[in-house]
Amino acid sequence: MIQIGEKIPAATLMEYIEVEGNGCSVGPNPVDVQVASAGKTIAVFALPGAFTPTCSAKHVPGFVEQADAFKAAGVDEIWCLSVNDAFVMGAWAREQKTGDKVRMLADGSADFAKATGLTLDLTARGMGLRSNRYSMLVKDGVVKSLNIEGPGKFEVSDANTLLAQAKAGV
């Protein structure tokens, strides 16, 4: 499992872009994790699935609500990762009104989740291999804080916990 002080693994996530601009075409676009995080401070949070109850009611809304506070604390971007496809993440972004506050990134084949060792096997519940629920602060590609939830919990990966770590310069 990835540890504080380690570089995030090489992986390509996908992002659904609805509006053409800045050279990005409409539709799913690849996001090279190492390139996209280079020289930036990123607040990353991952969750088991789009449109699921805790994720939709608490996890994403907390980061959307605190987006300005994260920026004030020196965070360049907020990323939400889930083992879903880019089209689902795009639809969820619309439903959650993430706008330019949270990048909704698809880890469709769970490559990033596997590479970090932060997978959650929900096969028995009909959902297959997913990402564990966690948050991490990444500076220039290096993990500075990591908050991993226990099974079925939502206690340490919330926006307020990661925001406090960002403010503390962790």
Side-chain angles (χ1 to χ4, degrees):
M1 182 183 324
I2 196 164
Q3 301 292 316
I4 292 171
E6 293 180 349
K7 287 196 75 66
I8 54 174
T12 299
L13 302 170
M14 297 298 288
E15 182 175 32
Y16 187 80
I17 304 295
E18 291 192 87
V19 181
E20 194 163 357
N22 297 330
C24 295
S25 62
V26 174
N29 291 294
V31 176
D32 181 313
V33 171
Q34 291 181 329
V35 171
S37 65
K40 295 180 184 174
T41 298
I42 312 289
V44 177
F45 68 105
L47 32 81
F51 294 102
T52 55
T54 300
C55 304
S56 292
K58 296 179 183 176
H59 217 166
V60 173
F63 281 90
V64 171
E65 291 165 9
Q66 295 287 4
D68 291 337
F70 273 101
K71 295 278 186 204
V75 172
D76 297 299
E77 295 179 0
I78 301 171
W79 295 359
C80 173
L81 279 57
S82 184
V83 180
N84 290 104
D85 64 58
F87 297 101
V88 168
M89 293 300 283
W92 197 31
R94 281 190 303 278
E95 192 261 345
Q96 290 286 310
K97 298 175 178 48
T98 60
D100 61 354
K101 295 179 179 187
V102 177
R103 293 181 75 178
M104 304 297 274
L105 301 173
D107 186 17
S109 298
D111 291 338
F112 188 80
K114 291 176 200 171
T116 59
L118 293 168
T119 58
L120 178 64
D121 188 352
L122 294 176
T123 303
R125 295 175 68 191
M127 294 175 69
L129 187 66
R130 296 294 177 134
S131 174
N132 199 0
R133 185 182 306 280
Y134 67 87
S135 66
M136 71 169 108
L137 193 64
V138 177
K139 290 186 181 182
D140 196 24
V142 176
V143 178
K144 296 298 181 180
S145 67
L146 179 60
N147 311 295
I148 304 168
E149 295 288 358
K153 301 288 184 184
F154 181 63
E155 300 169 343
V156 297
S157 65
D158 61 295
N160 289 335
T161 299
L162 196 60
L163 179 58
Q165 293 167 342
K167 287 180 177 179
V170 171

